[in-house]
Amino acid sequence: QLQLVESGGGLVQPGGSLRLTCEASRSVLNSYVIGWFRQAPGKEREGLSCISSLGVNIDHTEHADSVKGRFTISRGDAENTVYLQMNSLKPEDTGRYYCAANWNPNSPVCSMLPHYRYWGQGTQVAVSS
């Protein structure tokens, strides 16, 4: 069983930045595909970004059109950490942010559909002046 814990959420003004952290209970490098999702009140869970490993220091990433150019998914120095850097935040980015994982070693693709087995509890992000 893989445990995931998100952190880094908070209240930020429009145009501001936050970095979310997804910490896994063990290494996810080269073995798990990681996705970041957002759920706003009254809305369905939305896929934002995902990352998979093609090999040593080679990652495949994808970003939803709604966040492309503003959000960046990346790995931390620790093999159990994945970040979501969020810049130029807008009020519509408000919601609860979740990371998720699927076992898929050396996958050339990743998915932003919510068909992941492992989920964290989420961290709240509010963008407001």
Side-chain angles (χ1 to χ4, degrees):
Q1 191 81 356
L2 182 73
Q3 281 82 45
L4 303 172
V5 178
E6 303 93 336
S7 62
L11 174 64
V12 63
Q13 292 187 341
S17 298
L18 284 174
R19 188 177 75 168
L20 305 184
T21 300
C22 176
E23 185 173 358
S25 54
R26 58 179 178 271
S27 172
V28 294
L29 183 64
N30 298 330
S31 54
Y32 288 86
V33 173
I34 306 294
W36 277 101
F37 295 80
R38 171 175 69 205
Q39 189 158 22
K43 294 188 176 181
E44 293 187 354
R45 195 163 293 189
E46 174 190 10
L48 304 175
S49 303
C50 62
I51 187 167
S52 61
S53 178
L54 302 175
V56 177
N57 296 325
I58 303 175
D59 289 321
H60 169 79
T61 61
E62 297 184 27
H63 296 82
D65 288 343
S66 60
V67 303
K68 200 170 291 183
R70 300 189 300 123
F71 291 12
T72 303
I73 190 170
S74 65
R75 297 190 186 276
D77 290 338
E79 293 186 359
N80 66 333
T81 302
V82 173
Y83 298 119
L84 184 67
Q85 178 66 43
M86 307 189 297
N87 299 327
S88 302
L89 283 161
K90 306 174 182 180
E92 50 263 43
D93 293 319
T94 294
R96 193 160 186 86
Y97 284 67
Y98 299 87
C99 68
N102 265 347
W103 170 260
N104 200 345
N106 298 317
S107 172
V109 297
C110 60
S111 172
M112 288 186 287
L113 295 175
H115 303 154
Y116 283 71
R117 179 174 180 182
Y118 303 104
W119 291 83
Q121 295 299 307
T123 184
Q124 190 69 31
V125 172
V127 184
S128 175
S129 54

